[in-house]
Amino acid sequence: MSETITIALTKGRILRETLPLLAAAGIAPLEDIGKSRKLVFETTAEGVQLVVIRGTDVPTYVRHGAADVGVVGKDILLEQGAGGVYEPLDLGIARCRLMTAAPVGWQPSGPRIRVATKFVNVAREYFARQGVHAELIKLYGAMELAPMMDLADLIVDIVDTGNTLRANGMEPLDEIASISSRLIVNKAAMRSRYQGIQSLVDRLAVAVESA
Ligand code: PRP
Ligand code: MG
């Protein structure tokens, strides 16, 4: 078996906030990830490589052992279910909240609520717990448009600054979960390459503490 440790990173804001933590743990890509169209990057650390993919794909790579370790938002872990991987470390980056939101002043007008979201599993569970009958409408982005176009009454989405909601005449209602990026580890890799991976987890934990 290869002794290389492959770390799957979520591109975008999470990647930008992960790189300083990796650098503090002694792992830096050999070229500028932001300026490259490549997907695989060698690093300054012997036997550690990075792959840069969509957050929704990170748990899949790690669950199957195609990557040993991953960095992914808790929102995606909640939505997909965190089965098959360990989640040893909260990296404390890319913090935001998973919330319900509605057009300003919205009031429910009947027993049935239409909810647009990419987080259908989280939303289904949340509204079931509230005893609310929700009809879920799966979208892949720009959820804020759905109430405006009368596709939905509410949305379930990530709220960071709240600017996107405000810009679209909406307001946050209830917090479903507080979100940050997590380190996940393939279970078999954790056993077969315990030393290498545990040392990575420990160095990242120190980096998080001093960030
Ligand atoms: C995310 C999220 C919100 C917004 C939250 O959208 O879905 O729309 O950012 O940030 P804010 O509270 O600081 O405005 P993103 O831009 O990633 O696009 P998408 O929803 O279309 O994927
Ligand atoms: Mg959005």
Side-chain angles (χ1 to χ4, degrees):
M1 192 197 306
S2 148
E3 286 304 304
T4 301
I5 294 179
T6 301
I7 309 177
L9 301 179
T10 294
K11 66 181 179 185
R13 174 186 172 195
I14 294 178
L15 173 66
R16 288 192 295 279
E17 297 186 20
T18 302
L19 288 176
L21 294 177
L22 285 175
I27 300 164
L30 291 183
E31 60 189 293
D32 186 343
I33 293 181
K35 290 196 176 118
S36 174
R37 296 289 297 166
K38 284 173 61 175
L39 300 170
V40 184
F41 297 88
E42 298 306 321
T43 71
T44 51
E46 174 80 29
V48 178
Q49 66 174 8
L50 309 176
V51 299
V52 180
I53 55 183
R54 276 177 178 255
T56 43
D57 291 333
V58 168
T60 307
Y61 272 77
V62 176
R63 207 178 294 121
H64 289 270
D68 304 296
V69 175
V71 174
V72 65
K74 183 68 177 177
D75 52 333
I76 288 170
L77 295 174
L78 289 173
E79 178 62 16
Q80 295 190 1
V85 299
Y86 294 122
E87 190 189 312
L89 188 61
D90 182 349
L91 295 170
I93 55 169
R95 287 185 186 281
C96 54
R97 295 181 295 165
L98 193 54
M99 301 192 73
T100 60
V104 172
W106 176 82
Q107 294 289 333
S109 60
R112 185 171 136 277
I113 295 178
R114 300 167 302 162
V115 180
T117 185
K118 41 178 150 179
F119 304 99
V120 284
N121 294 324
V122 172
R124 185 181 303 110
E125 207 178 292
Y126 172 76
F127 286 106
R129 249 189 286 128
Q130 307 287 310
V132 172
H133 179 61
E135 178 196 331
L136 296 164
I137 300 163
K138 167 90 182 187
L139 291 177
Y140 292 86
M143 269 76 82
E144 297 85 359
L145 185 62
M148 231 186 293
M149 306 305 284
D150 198 29
L151 178 63
D153 304 301
L154 301 184
I155 66 171
V156 168
D157 196 9
I158 293 297
V159 179
D160 178 15
T161 61
N163 288 340
T164 310
L165 288 178
R166 270 189 296 279
N168 292 287
M170 299 184 70
E171 60 188 356
L173 297 177
D174 298 319
E175 177 168 333
I176 299 177
S178 147
I179 304 298
S180 56
S181 300
R182 308 301 162 99
L183 195 75
I184 58 172
V185 178
N186 175 269
K187 288 189 172 176
M190 191 68 182
R191 282 192 299 276
S192 63
R193 262 156 308 147
Y194 180 78
Q195 269 195 325
I197 291 176
Q198 187 58 49
S199 129
L200 171 65
V201 174
D202 291 343
R203 281 178 287 141
L204 282 172
V206 170
V208 169
E209 278 304 306
S210 46

